[in-house]
DNA sequence: GTTTTTAAGTCAGCCATGTTGACATATTTT
DNA sequence: AAAATATGTCAACATGGCTGACTTAAAAAC
């Protein structure tokens, strides 16, 4: 399958297209994160705090091990960020029911509000970008981004992006 | 999946698609950079060094101001990285001819070799990704990534080799 | 039922790479 | 001659990664 498609567009494997893509990755990621960083800064939080809040918001009741697996950082690094978020009442933790060693993480109302505000900035950027391109372009974007991932990253992603039509 | 083409564009602006894109950005960027970081680490260099080497390699003879404008960091931050690269003979600097205050930057042979090796890792990742998708997907990827950029970032990108204009 | 493993947390310190502010030097522009 | 520009430097600080060593409580294995 990959081989069949390869023959369709050797043109794009040329040095120039690949370098252009590398640069797009650098610049787009930087611009994408900069806006949200500014908003976080006003609350004296960093990008790391947003990541934690984001993923706890995405999966309420997630435990620390699972969060570490997603973020792929050490527990010491997470601890610094998470402690702050708990202390400032963005996140609360409950003891696990089936396994009492676990700490299950939830956003507080304050946390939900912050998550919404910051993530909104990033959603808005994508919404604007998607408005200026075709639906096929969006599909292509997702296909390429997925293809860039390590195999082990795929299970960490929420599936069912485009195709599920929810009404 | 079959009737994607008949879907209305606003479908893509729904919460789920936007959040999925945010996550793709996070995970894809992380996986994209991790491989190259490992190779740099073996030479005791960081991502910041690669950026400098990359952009000097892209535009030989670039001066410090232009480089700062691309990287969008302070000259103090650049200095730390650039000094190391010059000291270790990855980059050399010549005095500008028309403006003697300028330092024009060039990769040494060592620098070119490193730039090639590290950038190759990233080119390979994109080459592999592109092989697994269609040519339209690649176009879509580029269109969306461009649309994500700040307006002021666009002029920093180029498709064709070095058309640096010194004025 | 004791031992081992696991989930989570903590203390201490290191490193890379960003930041600000203040200032110096050479060169170009006005 | 004065002002602006290009570059560089010293010093201090913040963020968010890292390693290593160690603790506690609970679950799992024996």
């Amino acid at each position: 399958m990959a081989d069949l498609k390869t023959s369709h567009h050797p043109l794009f494997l040329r040095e120039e297209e690949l370098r252009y893509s590398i640069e797009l990755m650098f610049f787009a990621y930087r611009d994408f994160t900069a806006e949200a960083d500014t908003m976080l800064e006003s609350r004296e939080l960093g990008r790391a705090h947003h990541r934690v809040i984001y993923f706890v918001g995405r999966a309420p009741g997630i435990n620390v091990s699972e969060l570490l697996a997603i973020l792929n950082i050490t527990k010491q690094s997470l601890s610094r960020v998470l402690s702050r978020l708990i202390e400032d009442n963005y996140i609360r933790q409950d003891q696990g029911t089936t396994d009492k060693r676990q700490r299950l993480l939830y956003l507080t109302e304050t946390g939900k509000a912050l998550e919404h505000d910051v993530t909104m900035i990033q959603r808005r950027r994508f919404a604007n970008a998607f408005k200026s391109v075709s639906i096929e372009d969006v599909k292509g974007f997702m296909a390429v981004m997925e293809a860039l991932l390590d195999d082990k990253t795929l299970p960490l992603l929420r599936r069912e992006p485009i195709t599920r039509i929810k009404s």
Side-chain angles (χ1 to χ4, degrees), chain A:
Chain A
M1 169 170 163
D3 288 334
L4 287 176
K5 290 190 172 181
T6 301
S7 59
H8 291 166
H9 53 89
L11 179 68
F12 277 82
L13 300 181
R14 279 186 8 235
E15 167 94 6
E16 271 310 305
E17 279 71 29
L18 296 174
R19 287 185 83 98
Y20 185 70
S21 299
I22 289 172
E23 293 179 29
L24 276 174
M25 203 69 179
F26 169 63
F27 289 117
Y29 187 78
R30 193 176 65 181
D31 288 355
F32 170 72
T33 51
E35 246 184 328
D37 285 352
T38 301
M39 135 90 72
L40 287 159
E41 208 175 320
S42 72
R43 311 205 192 191
E44 295 182 304
L45 295 172
R47 195 180 295 179
H49 299 97
H50 178 226
R51 283 178 190 155
V52 170
I53 286 182
Y54 178 89
F55 285 110
V56 171
R58 188 189 90 165
I62 192 173
N63 65 44
V64 174
S65 294
E66 291 167 336
L67 187 53
L68 284 174
I70 289 173
L71 296 173
N72 202 27
I73 59 177
T74 60
K75 64 178 173 179
Q76 294 93 325
S77 295
L78 175 59
S79 171
R80 188 166 36 204
V81 172
L82 188 53
S83 302
R84 164 76 191 281
L85 291 172
I86 290 165
E87 190 170 332
D88 290 3
N89 195 40
Y90 291 109
I91 284 181
R92 76 180 155 80
Q93 43 184 358
D94 286 0
Q95 197 175 47
T97 48
T98 61
D99 186 336
K100 289 179 178 172
R101 291 172 303 180
Q102 295 180 342
R103 303 298 152 87
L104 309 185
L105 307 173
Y106 301 89
L107 295 185
T108 62
E109 289 308 310
T110 312
K112 285 179 190 170
L114 176 59
E115 195 283 325
H116 179 268
D117 289 353
V118 182
T119 304
M120 176 65 88
I121 292 174
Q122 301 189 325
R123 282 202 304 268
R124 193 179 57 209
R125 184 169 284 256
F126 267 112
N128 287 335
F130 289 172
K131 275 179 203 161
S132 74
V133 302
S134 73
I135 191 170
E136 289 78 17
D137 287 338
V138 174
K139 190 165 172 276
F141 164 77
M142 291 183 178
V144 169
M145 293 294 270
E146 286 165 1
L148 282 172
L149 301 173
D150 290 344
D151 290 345
K152 63 176 165 57
T153 301
L154 273 159
L156 302 178
L157 268 166
R158 175 199 300 285
R159 288 310 331 195
E160 82 258 87
I162 295 178
T163 59
R164 189 198 47 189
I165 298 191
K166 190 196 296 183
S167 53

